[in-house]
Amino acid sequence: MQVKTVPTRPIEGQLPGTSGLRKKVTVFQQPGYLENFVQSLFDVLPGLAGNTLVLGGDGRYFNDRAIQVILRMAAANGVGCVLVGRDGILSTPGLSDLVRQRHAFGGIVLSASHNPGGPDGDFGIKYNIGNGGPAPEKVTEAIHQRTLTIDRWLTLDSADIDLGRLGETALGAMRIEVVDPVASYARLMQQLFDFERLRALLARPGFRICFDAMHAVTGPYAQAILEGQLGAPAGSVINGVPLPDFGGGHPDPNPTYADELVARMCAADAPDFGAASDGDGDRNMIVGRRFIVTPSDSLAVLAANATLVPGYAAGLKGVARSMPTSGAVDRVAQALDIPCYETPTGWKFFGNLLDAGLCTLCGEESAGTGSDHVREKDGLWAVLFWLNILAVRGGSVESIVREHWQRFGRNVYSRHDYEGVDAAVARQIVADLRTALPTLAGRTAAGLKVLRADDFAYTDPVDGSVSRGQGLCVFFDEGSRLVLRASGTGTEGATLRLYLERFEPDTARQAVETQAALQPLIDAAEALTGLRARSGRQRPTVIT
Ligand code: G16
């Protein structure tokens, strides 16, 4: 089969964000858009020829087309072998696991994660390196630079490959192996968690769980593991069939978008344990009866209870959290006398820490928790971790969190998202606060005294690389903090995120309603940024 060289020109807007290149499907459907990006990726990966790549996505609209394009281009670029999930399906943690298990050169994830799908929805592409994790900034920057000068892409003239059947096939000189997306991942989960105990928990009379796969990629994984291997009754997994448009839903596991799960967990006959995952299976939400666990608290609870779980029985080397994530896990690290690292937003920053053995667990306030078992956050893993803790400790989700607060204090926490803000207005709001930062210390905003303010910068302790401008932080008296940053994953206008945190050591006051407890900070944020007034919004689009 002959390699075809197709002339092309750079196309604007191919700058990968927090988590790869995310755009509207219609943008990806422009002639040459996907091809330019994929060829730029192949052009900046020395040593790829003859090696193995893993390829798969969350099944969203355009997944099937993009996979065929990428397979032809991979073959034309001399890739030795591509492992593809059956029907083109792989969850993000599932792909990370396969890259590691099969010692692949890297992997390509097709997903826009928690963003909506369908012809008018979003699509995305992300490159993962040989450790199974998202490519670091120096690689994504090289890809972007290449998109600015690209002048040709390579492909083969060939029919589509049948990805519905497991087994091997060939495309030109390249081998293609269609693999079961769940098998390897399920084996890894069996190594980490006490499946016997989990089976016993799920068999307890009256104990019920509800896992909402949100019509996204975790459906088949959760059905195979929770219902198939652990014996949860059929129907414990809801919305388990992946659909190209996620059934019209927004596959983001938060109280706003996972409203079906929240309603079930608030009903009189609510199950004991509820959880949801997102489009590509890397995020998680944990819910008890009428009780939603914040992701920051969830990370802290997992860290505090890790030794109850076989895979972590030897203890944690350290923990890491993204800067806007609450300091709840810091308090656990202090009690355990292990290091706690604070990184910029985005999972790629955990990779070096995990590879160097500096930390075992990591997490982000955006519903991402994970460990050194893969190099991505992992939704179903977090669910199994919680179930394992419940199986050993007994009690309820709520009692475990409340006991945690009693022991460590409560970091009352919330994130307010303002989506679809006019991009110029958003830029100005951030720029003005950045300019004001050096003048804030000692000032009072809505009755709160500013102690200090900074623009978060991070020096990677492993490779010394420096990332600046990662979020504007204002610290107040009594352990309160607000952070303002612009999202790097939105596809419409700009999304501004306001992160609010207040420490409450007094057990008598820990039951307070979150938004009420944070009202002084919400007022201070408005006084300092004018965010609501300037964006013309009365309230945030999403509160988590
Ligand atoms: C958001 C979250 C980040 C997360 C990123 C990618 O980024 O705030 O914490 O790392 O999404 O997550 P996923 O891979 O699940 O899409 P941003 O820049 O929009 O705030």
Side-chain angles (χ1 to χ4, degrees), residues 207-224:
F207 187 87
R208 287 181 302 131
I209 66 169
C210 178
F211 178 89
D212 187 352
M214 303 187 89
H215 286 302
V217 78
T218 43
Y221 290 81
Q223 268 157 355

Side-chain angles (χ1 to χ4, degrees), residues 18-19 22 112-115 126 278 280 282-283 322 345-347 364-366 376-377 415 485-490 495 497 499:
T18 316
S19 202
R22 271 185 208 171
S113 190
H114 52 288
N115 295 11
K126 182 174 80 161
D278 70 331
D280 62 332
D282 57 2
R283 296 185 175 203
S322 67
T345 295
W347 205 260
E364 297 192 276
E365 51 64 42
S366 52
E376 290 278 4
K377 51 191 183 259
R415 183 175 102 185
R485 63 177 282 281
S487 156
T489 58
T495 295
R497 305 200 195 284
Y499 309 80

